[in-house]
Structure formats: C-alpha cells, structure tokens
Amino acid sequence: EADLADVDLVVTLHACDTATDVALDRAVRAGAEVILSVPCCQHELLGQLSNDALRPLLRHGTLRERFAAEVTDAARARLLELAGYEVQVVEFVALEHTPKNVLLRATRTSRPTRDRDRLAAEYRTFADALGIDPALERLLADVVAR
C-alpha cells in the first residue's frame, strides 16, 4: 500500500454511487493537495430526498433522479470545503456528449474558523431541509465536525 503522506493528486472517474464518496474520503484522509472527481450514478440520496415544498419535482422519477444527482454533488462540494478544500464544480465536457459532465475540483486550503462555521451551518440547513444523510458526511464525520 502506498504511503498516504506522498499523495498529491487524486483522480476519480465515474466511480458509481457511493464509490465516489469512499474515494473522496480516502483522498481527504491522505491529505491530497488536489482532488479531481467526476461522479457517476448518484443514487444514494434518491430514496432519502424529502421536502413537502419540492413534492411537484420529487414525484417524477426522472426529475427526482436528476435533482438527486445535483444535490449529491452539492453536498460533496460543501463537505470537501468543510474538510479544508476550496471547491469548484465545473462542466468539463459539452452536455451534448454526455450527461455526466460535472467535475469536482478541490484544492487543499485553510479557512478561518468563522467562515467554516458559516459553511457548516449552511450545509446542515441544506441537508436537513432535504432530509438527506449522504455517505460522504458519514465517512468524514470526524473530519468535518472539527
């Protein structure tokens, strides 16, 4: 097994469902300076999503699935921020070529405590409003709780 202290860059490409979360957890714990992640098959939160105001959206399978993918990646981005990364969510391939064209680009950084507290509060409000408990949150519980 590689020495995790020597990890500078972690790349994940279409790791299905929570495999992306496992890879992100390992990257954070390895202290990777840069993480490039292209998620795929974000199904974990599909059954968890619950919000009365969003019922018109969530009642349609296709729309629910698309929304769950966006929610999953938004949660991942914020959790990576809470783990000490600056995160950008970018489209890296034109939509006409593939619907799975989101790249999470994370660079290790340091944040002032007050900013971190605000980010954590915003995340909690987001997750609670949608009734979600993402795998990455559970995996990084000890890291993001600091």
Side-chain angles (χ1 to χ4, degrees), residues 42-63:
Q42 300 96 328
H43 292 128
E44 179 203 19
L45 301 184
L46 203 58
Q48 294 181 26
L49 285 170
S50 176
N51 180 296
D52 288 342
L54 296 176
R55 190 169 291 141
L57 169 74
L58 299 177
R59 68 181 288 271
H60 299 285
T62 299
L63 296 176

Side-chain angles (χ1 to χ4, degrees), residues 39-116:
C40 184
C41 310
Q42 300 96 328
H43 292 128
E44 179 203 19
L45 301 184
L46 203 58
Q48 294 181 26
L49 285 170
S50 176
N51 180 296
D52 288 342
L54 296 176
R55 190 169 291 141
L57 169 74
L58 299 177
R59 68 181 288 271
H60 299 285
T62 299
L63 296 176
R64 182 183 187 92
E65 188 172 327
R66 289 178 184 173
F67 185 67
E70 304 300 335
V71 167
T72 300
D73 291 335
R76 286 172 173 154
R78 181 49 55 93
L79 289 164
L80 287 171
E81 288 174 330
L82 291 171
Y85 288 83
E86 181 177 317
V87 181
Q88 297 172 310
V89 180
V90 297
E91 183 178 273
F92 71 102
V93 175
L95 192 55
E96 66 261 13
H97 298 295
T98 178
K100 298 293 183 177
N101 63 347
V102 170
L103 169 70
L104 302 177
R105 182 171 50 204
T107 306
R108 184 163 283 292
T109 187
S110 59
R111 293 197 175 276
T113 303
R114 68 180 186 281
D115 191 32
R116 191 179 186 295

Side-chain angles (χ1 to χ4, degrees), residues 20-42:
T20 296
D21 302 301
V22 171
L24 293 174
D25 173 62
R26 293 203 67 188
V28 168
R29 293 183 187 284
E33 290 298 316
V34 176
I35 302 169
L36 302 174
S37 181
V38 179
C40 184
C41 310
Q42 300 96 328

